[in-house]
Amino acid sequence: MPHAEFVHLRVHTAYSLSEGAIRVKALADLCQRYAMPAVAMTDTNNLFGALEFSQTLIKAGIQPVIGCQIALAREEGGGAGPSRLGRKPEPDPIVLLAQTPEGYRNLMRLSSAAYLDTPPGETPQVGQAVLSAYAGGLIALTGGAHGPIGRLLGEGQEPAAEALLLRLAALFDGRLYVELQRHGLAQEARVEPGLLDLAFRHGLPLLATNECFFADESLFEAHDALLCIAAGAYVAQSERRRLTPEHRFKSAEEMKVLFADLPEAVANTLVVARRTAVMAEECKPILPTFTRGGADPRAAEAAELRRMAAAGLARRLSALALEEGLAEPYRRRLEFELDVIVSMGFAGYFLIVADFIQWAKAQSIPVGPGRGSGAGSVVAWALTITDLDPLRFGLLFERFLNPERVSMPDFDIDFCQDRRDEVIRYVQERYGQDQVAQIITFGKLQARAALRDVGRVLEMPFGQVDRICKMVPNNPANPLSLDQAIAAEPRLRHERDSDEGVARLIAIALQLEGLYRHASTHAAGVVIGDRPLAELVPLYRDPRSSMPVTQFSMKYVEAAGLVKFDFLGLKTLTVIETAVKLLARRGVGVD
């Protein structure tokens, strides 16, 4: 089947938060429309979408190229020094593409290091020493006019640019491409002769790229508004970041015409795509081993679970003071559940959950009695994971675990909101700081938020924007899209049809609605690995927390093989605990 003679190797998806406006599914559609056999995802400093991108593109018959635009810290003497305010100069972007499985692992390490090792308040970046340590299996692009080589050339520092290029060429031996871009920017025209001269002088291959932030020219105005939203600027402002309509997803024909004088730079995009046959893949659940040492830790875990469950059930039955005939159904149910749990390989999961819950209770941290399908397990009741008697209430174990439908067990565990962090710290100490992380979540531009943000950057009167926003029905449980709101609310349609400014506001908000705006931490999810997590998934640091966070969201972190544990902070437990303590001061004892 014939395919295009160019592929895009510089695409910012919606995971370039508040910067990229190409959704992953839309990217697959664009590649199919233009007959491109491959495409690279190179989001700014992150791999948030690596697994979703790989799965979506493969299903569409497109080869995914996993990449990342990494910020490379400037060396001493590498251009402008600290500013008058004493701030470090901004790092320079280079692009790294995973060529092999080792390269993908190194890309995860580099992206993780950019977030975890950069001081708060600075742009996430890596130094050249870190880049050198994890350069294996990666193809590097010099970053075009705004990369480190282009910046030095633009500053008139040709010897420094050449020295840095030679260092990168030695580091990425046979895997470095001199990147050329033509978006119509003055800096690009100014430094291109220098880039060409260096490439020809040192026998380095050229690569034509187009940095794509949006699908087509019709999205340029909306994307410009998105950049203003991110920067807290206004569309009418003169001094702010601006892109051009050329930063769109161009066809191969457009790129061939644009680089007609350098056809090898266009052809090399296919060469690079052929060299990068690696993708982020799904993985079976990986659980840390609960028991230490021994030739067969999984067998040891099964034996330990049976021992602890039998002892725990004996204590439960003793407390109930049941006659022997009434106790027998509990023992039969326990044996049945244990056989299912062990056969499915989940003994370690139960031991891990029991361990941190028993620790929490030993520290007098309030824990919920049990919620969800997990409350149907006698094993969980025996291990004090739950405090509900499943047989008394006729609860079914099969709703929790069923060999006919293999899926990970999932306990919804409530902790006192004020002391939940103590339990998470215990888990970090028990399994290792580098093997425990929380899970990322992404905030989207919903209908009302999109209208408010766009109204602000267009400098529309606050009262007018607020009135329009209030016409969008507010249902947090089932939020309406802006399209649905327009269809349902005649006043909104009237405002749009009678006022050009409102029509522009709504048109832009419709194009931006649903894009990711920011990253934060999931309220409950924690993952525990059997090795340092940066070997399995890339990591992120939420500026409001010191604990690492996975760069993959809930759905994809589980697909990557990590097992999620829910540590829910419940205010009700805190209120009850406070009430019990206040009653105790009056001599009233309450269980």
Side-chain angles (χ1 to χ4, degrees):
M1 185 176 176
H3 59 70
E5 296 175 358
F6 168 87
V7 297
H8 281 289
L9 298 174
R10 286 296 301 272
V11 176
H12 291 269
T13 73
Y15 284 106
S16 286
L17 307 180
S18 292
E19 183 183 36
I22 303 177
R23 295 168 175 85
V24 172
K25 178 64 174 69
L27 179 58
D29 295 339
L30 285 167
C31 290
Q32 289 177 329
R33 184 194 311 168
Y34 293 121
M36 291 187 182
V39 69
M41 176 191 72
T42 57
D43 286 315
T44 306
N45 282 327
N46 73 66
L47 293 166
F48 294 158
L51 189 49
E52 179 187 354
F53 170 74
S54 295
Q55 291 179 340
T56 304
L57 271 290
I58 284 292
K59 287 176 184 174
I62 313 294
Q63 178 198 327
V65 178
I66 303 292
C68 184
Q69 178 182 298
I70 287 280
L72 183 62
R74 296 195 197 179
E75 289 189 320
E76 292 294 326
S83 71
R84 284 178 296 174
L85 297 175
R87 293 177 183 161
K88 288 174 63 177
E90 281 298 300
D92 299 309
I94 62 168
V95 176
L96 302 174
L97 307 175
Q99 182 182 12
T100 64
E102 177 204 10
Y104 176 57
R105 290 192 294 272
N106 281 337
L107 196 57
M108 289 197 294
R109 291 187 180 100
L110 287 165
S111 180
S112 300
Y115 285 108
L116 301 183
D117 299 341
T118 300
E122 293 184 18
T123 301
Q125 57 195 275
V126 297
Q128 292 198 21
V130 178
L131 182 65
S132 299
Y134 298 115
L138 292 169
I139 286 176
L141 318 185
T142 57
H146 300 287
I149 312 299
R151 176 184 58 80
L152 288 168
L153 288 172
E155 293 172 356
Q157 300 190 61
E158 286 83 2
E162 184 170 25
L164 178 56
L165 183 68
L166 291 175
R167 284 205 302 276
L168 291 174
L171 183 60
F172 298 96
D173 188 15
R175 295 174 283 123
L176 178 69
Y177 288 80
V178 175
E179 187 178 6
L180 303 175
Q181 296 176 336
R182 292 175 176 175
H183 302 106
L185 300 175
Q187 170 79 348
E188 293 169 348
R190 187 164 60 249
V191 305
E192 185 177 296
L195 289 171
L196 290 170
D197 180 56
L198 287 174
F200 293 144
R201 192 186 313 164
H202 298 290
L204 294 171
L206 299 172
L207 191 74
T209 69
N210 199 84
E211 199 167 5
C212 308
F213 290 90
F214 45 91
D216 56 58
E217 205 164 333
S218 68
L219 285 157
F220 171 66
E221 185 183 24
H223 181 265
D224 195 45
L226 180 68
L227 294 180
C228 291
I229 290 169
Y234 301 110
V235 168
Q237 253 178 269
S238 55
E239 295 297 319
R240 65 173 178 85
R241 182 187 181 189
R242 291 177 186 273
L243 296 180
T244 72
E246 302 303 309
H247 286 86
R248 66 185 185 278
F249 194 95
K250 292 177 179 175
S251 69
E253 287 69 29
E254 287 179 287
M255 292 300 293
K256 285 168 71 177
V257 170
L258 188 60
F259 285 91
D261 56 325
L262 295 169
E264 71 273 23
V266 173
N268 277 340
T269 63
L270 293 176
V271 174
V272 171
R274 291 189 191 102
R275 297 182 71 184
T276 53
V278 65
M279 58 178 277
E281 297 187 21
E282 289 193 38
C283 184
K284 291 182 179 179
I286 302 168
L287 269 169
T289 52
F290 180 77
T291 54
R292 310 281 171 164
D296 188 348
R298 297 305 178 193
E301 285 176 346
E304 178 66 6
L305 179 65
R306 290 184 184 277
R307 186 195 67 77
M308 287 179 61
L313 181 64
R315 286 192 293 272
R316 290 287 197 188
L317 295 178
S318 175
L320 292 176
L322 293 178
E323 297 176 5
E324 186 60 30
L326 295 175
E328 188 56 29
Y330 287 90
R331 297 193 184 98
R332 287 200 304 271
R333 171 76 168 264
L334 185 78
E335 286 304 314
F336 164 73
E337 289 187 16
L338 285 170
D339 288 343
V340 171
I341 292 165
V342 171
S343 69
M344 295 180 75
F346 297 146
Y349 177 87
F350 276 77
L351 291 171
I352 291 166
V353 175
D355 175 59
F356 63 71
I357 286 182
Q358 290 171 7
W359 180 87
K361 290 178 176 178
Q363 308 305 310
S364 301
I365 298 173
V367 182
R371 183 162 55 80
S373 59
S377 170
V378 169
V379 172
W381 181 57
L383 295 174
T384 67
I385 293 173
T386 62
D387 286 317
L388 294 169
D389 178 347
L391 268 63
R392 178 186 172 191
F393 295 104
L395 303 178
L396 300 175
F397 174 69
E398 287 77 8
R399 284 194 62 238
F400 180 58
L401 269 188
N402 190 333
E404 300 297 318
R405 181 179 55 83
V406 178
S407 61
M408 282 299 300
D410 187 16
F411 285 109
D412 295 319
I413 304 155
D414 297 312
F415 293 99
C416 163
Q417 184 173 274
D418 288 351
R419 301 187 65 189
R420 166 183 173 268
D421 289 347
E422 293 178 42
V423 188
I424 295 176
R425 278 199 299 273
Y426 166 75
V427 171
Q428 282 183 295
E429 292 164 7
R430 173 78 167 76
Y431 296 97
Q433 299 282 341
D434 60 350
Q435 292 183 207
V436 180
Q438 291 179 278
I439 300 172
I440 203 168
T441 185
F442 300 105
K444 289 183 177 181
L445 277 168
Q446 304 287 11
R448 282 191 173 191
L451 287 169
R452 288 190 193 281
D453 283 336
V454 174
R456 181 186 62 77
V457 302
L458 294 179
E459 298 181 86
M460 293 177 67
F462 174 81
Q464 182 186 23
V465 175
D466 186 58
R467 179 168 52 80
I468 292 165
C469 287
K470 287 175 178 175
M471 293 178 190
V472 177
N474 184 30
N475 181 4
N478 184 26
L480 291 181
S481 69
L482 191 49
D483 258 335
Q484 291 170 326
I486 292 168
E489 180 52 69
R491 291 178 302 158
L492 202 52
R493 295 196 297 274
H494 173 74
E495 289 281 349
R496 179 197 62 188
D497 297 339
S498 60
D499 187 323
E500 286 186 11
V502 174
R504 184 186 180 201
L505 165 71
I506 290 175
I508 293 175
L510 280 167
Q511 290 177 311
L512 298 184
E513 185 184 14
L515 290 176
Y516 298 125
R517 181 174 181 182
H518 62 271
S520 57
T521 302
H522 189 274
V526 172
V527 291
I528 306 172
D530 68 340
R531 68 200 78 171
L533 291 176
E535 296 178 14
L536 298 168
V537 294
L539 299 176
Y540 171 76
R541 171 96 66 200
D542 188 328
R544 293 158 294 185
S545 170
S546 61
M547 188 174 174
V549 178
T550 64
Q551 285 192 29
F552 292 172
S553 61
M554 183 79 75
K555 176 181 176 181
Y556 295 101
V557 82
E558 292 184 303
L562 290 176
V563 178
K564 172 181 67 74
F565 298 82
D566 282 328
F567 291 72
L568 295 142
L570 191 63
K571 186 178 179 182
T572 308
L573 284 174
T574 310
V575 171
I576 292 171
E577 176 72 0
T578 304
V580 167
K581 287 178 179 176
L582 292 172
L583 288 167
R585 291 182 191 174
R586 300 185 180 186
V588 180
V590 177
D591 182 350

